[in-house]
């Protein structure tokens, strides 16, 4: 550990303790938190633990409220930098990964308990007497507010812990920059290979931004050498006498004039690719490839970057037909929820969301779409959260319907939230998804399990459903080889298949 990192946690502890002292006799939210969880507050102020970011943000808001001033964004940025440095040092210590997994499990249970308290408080408040000024209604409203705050903060902490655990699964830098005989020649370095204009557009995306808190060695995944399969594909030979080249050459302005094409060169089956993109507008387009006996021509990318690319002969897939029954019910539910939101009946609105989550699974994609269309997108996250609390079988059905409707982002969110469930529930969800042909969704759930839960939990999933032994090991392999070894060892200790 370097000298800079060694003092990061100490520096942040001093900074956090100074902010708490500055609150004085107006501690705000943090004062109530310290009264409810005195051990956690003492650990944060004494340096025995690093507070989650939501606690740091709450203290910053309390400070702004104490002086009746807007939140200082510069101070927020400084606090975030110090917090990230302290977290990076903390996670670099031996045994940090196991401690984070245990903390994620505890935090997930706390989130589920807060959700149950929120439900009970919402129902009790909805059934309370109509007098809003009564003491009972005020007490229930306070309980509901704190239960909702606990649930939202626990959810944010779960996301933060998963992000920290994901850093442990990143491949080492040595694998990213290792040179292999196929990529490099000791006698003569190979020029950069030619880009295939039919390659996926995602390969043309810019590199992701580096998280300042992440170690530098884990941020250069975009800096890998091009793979051999990214060279130009063979094209139909040109007519006799046509001007061709003998081999692929570098492209781009930095190679301008570096090579001169020899006159009368022999004809080869490799044809020079036509430049694409807005800066080559007007360039002659390549002849449209013809279908061969091996199969139809693959679809080509679209957009200004690929101007002049040949059009695909494949017809576009027709949009799925909407079910009028589910569409009508979804519009009715969205209108009902919108009316409750407009009149300020948040407790009744929450009850409607809970009832909708327990409704038919095929209706869920329609309802999410209507909520977004009617400017109720904020309730989408709450609805997905409620669906994630359903029993295993209906939850798997909901995930399958979301995937079938093309809402992959919502399906992924739902599965990530469900990954904190007991192993028996995870076995039911993953098994039902696999039985329904949703192998990618089942794999997403099992990869989250392998990444964020102890190996013993993965073994418990296999114990509940032995047929998931191979998918669990495949998911662990996708996370990391070391993770797969840990789960294989857990299966062997439990006497289960795959160990």
């Amino acid at each position: 550990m370097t000298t800079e990192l060694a003092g990061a946690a100490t520096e942040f502890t001093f900074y956090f303790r100074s902010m708490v002292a500055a609150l004085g006799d107006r501690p705000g939210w943090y004062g109530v938190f310290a009264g409810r969880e005195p051990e956690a507050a003492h650990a944060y102020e004494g340096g025995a633990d690093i507070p989650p970011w939501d606690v740091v943000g709450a203290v910053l808001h309390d400070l702004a409220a104490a002086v009746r001033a807007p939140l200082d964004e510069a101070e927020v940025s400084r606090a975030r930098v110090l917090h990230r440095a302290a977290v990076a040092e903390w996670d670099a210590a031996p045994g940090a990964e196991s401690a984070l997994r245990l903390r994620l499990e505890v935090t997930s249970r706390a989130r589920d308990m807060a959700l149950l308290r929120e439900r009970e408080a919402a129902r009790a408040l909805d059934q309370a007497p109509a007098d809003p000024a009564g003491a009972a209604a005020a007490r229930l409203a306070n309980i509901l507010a704190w239960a909702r705050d606990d649930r939202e903060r626990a959810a944010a902490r779960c996301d933060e812990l998963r992000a920290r655990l994901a850093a442990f699964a990143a491949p080492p830098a040595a694998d990213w920059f290792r040179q292999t005989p196929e990529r490099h020649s000791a006698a003569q370095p190979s020029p950069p290979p030619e880009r295939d204009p039919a390659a996926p557009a995602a390969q043309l995306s810019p590199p992701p931004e580096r998280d300042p808190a992440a170690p530098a060695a884990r941020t250069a995944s975009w800096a890998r050498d091009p793979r051999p399969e990214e060279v130009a594909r063979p094209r139909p030979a040109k007519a006799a006498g046509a001007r061709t080249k003998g081999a692929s050459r570098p492209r781009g302005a930095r190679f301008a004039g570096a090579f001169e094409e020899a006159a009368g060169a022999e004809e080869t089956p490799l044809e020079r690719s036509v430049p694409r993109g807005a800066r080559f507008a007007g360039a002659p387009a390549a002849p449209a490839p013809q279908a061969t006996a091996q199969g139809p021509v693959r679809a080509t990318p679209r957009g200004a970057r690929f101007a002049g690319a040949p059009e695909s002969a494949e017809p576009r897939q027709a949009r799925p037909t909407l079910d009028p029954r589910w569409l009508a019910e979804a519009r009715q539910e969205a209108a009902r929820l919108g009316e409750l939101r407009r009149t300020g009946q948040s407790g009744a609105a929450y009850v409607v969301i809970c009832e909708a989550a327990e409704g038919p699974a095929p209706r869920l994609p329609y309802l999410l779409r209507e909520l977004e269309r009617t400017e109720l997108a904020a309730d989408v996250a709450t609805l997905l959260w409620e669906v994630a609390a359903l029993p295993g079988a209906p939850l798997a059905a909901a995930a399958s319907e979301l995937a079938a409707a093309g809402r992959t982002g919502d399906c992924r969110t739902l599965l990530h939230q469900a990954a904190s469930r007991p192993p028996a529930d995870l076995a039911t969800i993953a098994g039902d998804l696999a039985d329904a042909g949703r192998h990618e969704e089942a794999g997403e759930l099992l990869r989250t399990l392998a990444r964020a839960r102890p190996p013993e939990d993965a073994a418990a999933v296999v114990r509940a459903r032995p047929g998931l032994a191979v998918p669990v090991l495949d998911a662990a392999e996708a996370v990391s080889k070391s993770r797969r070894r840990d789960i294989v060892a857990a299966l062997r200790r439990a006497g289960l298949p795959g160990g």
Side-chain angles (χ1 to χ4, degrees), residues 14-27 30 45 59 63:
F14 177 78
Y15 175 79
F16 183 78
R17 190 164 51 235
S18 300
M19 288 197 301
V20 173
L23 291 174
D25 57 352
R26 288 178 288 184
Y30 185 79
E45 296 174 27
V59 174
L63 282 173

Coordinates of all heavy atoms in Angstrom, one line a residue, residues 14-27 30 45 59 63:
F14 N -11.1 12.2 9.3 CA -11.0 13.6 9.9 C -12.0 14.5 9.2 O -12.6 15.3 9.9 CB -9.6 14.1 9.7 CG -9.3 15.5 10.2 CD1 -9.2 15.7 11.5 CD2 -9.3 16.5 9.3 CE1 -9.0 17.0 12.0 CE2 -9.1 17.8 9.7 CZ -9.0 18.1 11.1
Y15 N -12.1 14.4 7.9 CA -13.1 15.3 7.2 C -14.5 15.0 7.6 O -15.3 15.9 7.9 CB -12.9 15.0 5.7 CG -13.9 15.7 4.8 CD1 -13.7 17.1 4.5 CD2 -15.0 15.1 4.3 CE1 -14.6 17.8 3.7 CE2 -15.9 15.8 3.5 CZ -15.7 17.1 3.2 OH -16.6 17.8 2.4
F16 N -14.9 13.8 7.7 CA -16.2 13.4 8.1 C -16.5 13.9 9.5 O -17.6 14.4 9.8 CB -16.5 11.9 8.0 CG -17.9 11.5 8.3 CD1 -18.9 11.6 7.3 CD2 -18.2 10.9 9.5 CE1 -20.2 11.2 7.6 CE2 -19.5 10.5 9.8 CZ -20.5 10.6 8.8
R17 N -15.6 13.6 10.4 CA -15.7 14.0 11.8 C -15.9 15.5 11.9 O -16.6 16.1 12.8 CB -14.6 13.5 12.7 CG -14.8 13.7 14.2 CD -13.8 12.8 15.0 NE -12.4 13.0 14.5 CZ -11.6 12.0 14.2 NH1 -12.1 10.8 14.1 NH2 -10.4 12.3 13.8
S18 N -15.1 16.3 11.1 CA -15.2 17.7 11.1 C -16.6 18.2 10.7 O -17.2 19.2 11.2 CB -14.2 18.3 10.2 OG -12.9 18.0 10.6
M19 N -17.2 17.5 9.6 CA -18.5 17.9 9.2 C -19.6 17.6 10.3 O -20.5 18.5 10.5 CB -18.9 17.1 7.9 CG -18.2 17.5 6.7 SD -19.0 16.9 5.2 CE -18.9 15.1 5.5
V20 N -19.4 16.5 11.0 CA -20.4 16.2 12.1 C -20.3 17.2 13.2 O -21.3 17.7 13.7 CB -20.2 14.8 12.6 CG1 -21.0 14.5 13.8 CG2 -20.5 13.8 11.5
A21 N -19.0 17.6 13.5 CA -18.9 18.6 14.6 C -19.4 20.0 14.1 O -19.9 20.7 15.0 CB -17.4 18.8 14.9
A22 N -19.4 20.3 12.8 CA -19.9 21.6 12.4 C -21.4 21.6 12.4 O -22.0 22.7 12.4 CB -19.4 21.8 10.9
L23 N -22.1 20.5 12.5 CA -23.5 20.5 12.7 C -24.0 21.1 14.0 O -25.1 21.7 14.1 CB -24.1 19.1 12.5 CG -24.0 18.5 11.1 CD1 -24.5 17.0 11.2 CD2 -24.9 19.2 10.1
G24 N -23.1 21.0 15.0 CA -23.5 21.6 16.3 C -24.8 21.0 16.9 O -25.0 19.8 17.0
D25 N -25.6 22.0 17.3 CA -26.9 21.6 18.0 C -28.0 21.4 17.0 O -29.2 21.3 17.3 CB -27.3 22.6 19.0 CG -27.4 24.0 18.5 OD1 -27.0 24.2 17.3 OD2 -27.8 24.9 19.2
R26 N -27.7 21.4 15.7 CA -28.7 21.2 14.6 C -28.2 20.1 13.7 O -27.8 20.3 12.6 CB -28.9 22.5 13.8 CG -29.6 23.6 14.6 CD -29.7 24.8 13.7 NE -28.4 25.5 13.6 CZ -28.3 26.7 12.9 NH1 -29.3 27.3 12.4 NH2 -27.1 27.3 12.8
P27 N -28.2 18.9 14.3 CA -27.7 17.7 13.5 C -28.5 17.2 12.4 O -28.1 16.5 11.5 CB -27.5 16.6 14.6 CG -28.6 17.0 15.6 CD -28.7 18.5 15.6
Y30 N -28.7 13.4 10.4 CA -27.7 12.6 11.0 C -27.9 12.4 12.5 O -27.5 11.4 13.0 CB -26.3 13.2 10.7 CG -25.2 12.4 11.2 CD1 -24.7 11.3 10.4 CD2 -24.5 12.7 12.4 CE1 -23.7 10.5 10.9 CE2 -23.5 11.9 12.8 CZ -23.1 10.8 12.1 OH -22.0 10.0 12.5
E45 N -17.4 7.9 12.8 CA -16.7 9.1 13.3 C -15.3 8.7 13.8 O -14.4 9.5 13.9 CB -17.5 9.7 14.4 CG -18.8 10.3 13.9 CD -19.7 10.8 15.0 OE1 -19.2 11.2 16.0 OE2 -20.9 10.9 14.8
V59 N -25.2 14.2 5.4 CA -24.5 15.2 6.3 C -24.3 16.5 5.5 O -24.4 17.6 6.1 CB -23.2 14.6 6.8 CG1 -22.4 15.6 7.6 CG2 -23.5 13.4 7.7
L63 N -25.6 20.2 6.7 CA -24.8 21.4 6.8 C -25.4 22.5 6.0 O -25.4 23.7 6.5 CB -23.4 21.1 6.3 CG -22.5 20.3 7.3 CD1 -21.2 19.9 6.6 CD2 -22.2 21.1 8.6

